[in-house]
Amino acid sequence: MSDARRVNDARDVSDAPIDLSVIIPCFNEEGSLRACVEETRAALATLGLRHEILPVDDGSSDGTWALCERLAAESVDVRPRRHVRNRGMGAGVRTGLRAARGAFVIVVPGDNQFALDLGAMIEAGRDADVVVGERGTAYATVGRSLPSWLYSTGMRALFGLRLRGEVNLYRREFLLAHAIEHRADGFFGNTELLIRAVRAGARAVRIPVRVRPRVAGRSTGRDLGQIWRVVKETAKLRARLTFEALR
């Protein structure tokens, strides 16, 4: 049973179709979440899309959940979820996907480091099942580029994945039709979702996304504990896919 708590579900009772669900997994992002939500809402308003914004607080120890509640009180399009304990980014993405109602879903990290052109991504998605947002080289350093290269090389070798997307848009109908759901709770969950979609025959297109410096909070993606968790989750997925192919 999920431990996710919900806000605003009862307030939005319209049966009108939703074009886009924006899932924002976040952990201790009190300093950046409001900007992320407000920039997303402003972009969607210019596009005239019916949308919902789903922040998923992954057991934060700062004021992230209180901020989620304030954002929900300010606007009915914000429908936050909360994990009572920290479970990992992949778990946050899964909780958001299960709550999503849009024709398309996009996963946007709550650190607000990605300056997205949502209009371009939606347009690219009209003829695709997955739009893969690939980061450019801005702010690239050896400390960032080397781990990224190693990760991409490993994904190609183990899964044949030649896409490296951190902000991906999915056609929700495709995910539902193929019963696609990732199992990894950590950072690797986002990659597992993409791997499973591609293996199911998803039509994928790439689109560049711009990355900007983090202005608040602290990145945990390169912590040794996180790296070891990714290694373990990668090995588990490789074993599961091998087993599934033999059945």
Side-chain angles (χ1 to χ4, degrees), residues 46-112:
T46 64
L47 296 172
L49 296 175
R50 179 168 169 79
H51 65 273
E52 60 183 359
I53 300 174
L54 301 166
V56 183
D57 174 28
D58 189 32
S60 295
S61 58
D62 64 356
T64 297
W65 178 245
L67 175 57
C68 285
E69 292 183 307
R70 290 197 298 273
L71 291 168
E74 294 167 10
S75 180
V76 72
D77 65 347
V78 179
R79 300 174 52 233
R81 298 301 196 259
R82 184 189 192 189
H83 295 161
V84 296
R85 59 183 177 84
N86 179 245
R87 295 166 55 193
M89 180 180 178
V93 172
R94 188 187 308 114
T95 293
L97 285 171
R98 289 176 177 176
R101 302 172 295 173
F104 291 95
V105 293
I106 186 171
V107 179
V108 179
D111 57 17
N112 203 37

Side-chain angles (χ1 to χ4, degrees), residues 21-55:
S21 298
V22 181
I23 300 168
I24 307 178
C26 46
F27 176 65
N28 290 344
E29 296 292 1
E30 180 184 11
S32 58
L33 181 60
R34 176 176 286 277
C36 183
V37 169
E38 290 180 349
E39 286 183 20
T40 298
R41 181 185 291 118
L44 292 169
T46 64
L47 296 172
L49 296 175
R50 179 168 169 79
H51 65 273
E52 60 183 359
I53 300 174
L54 301 166

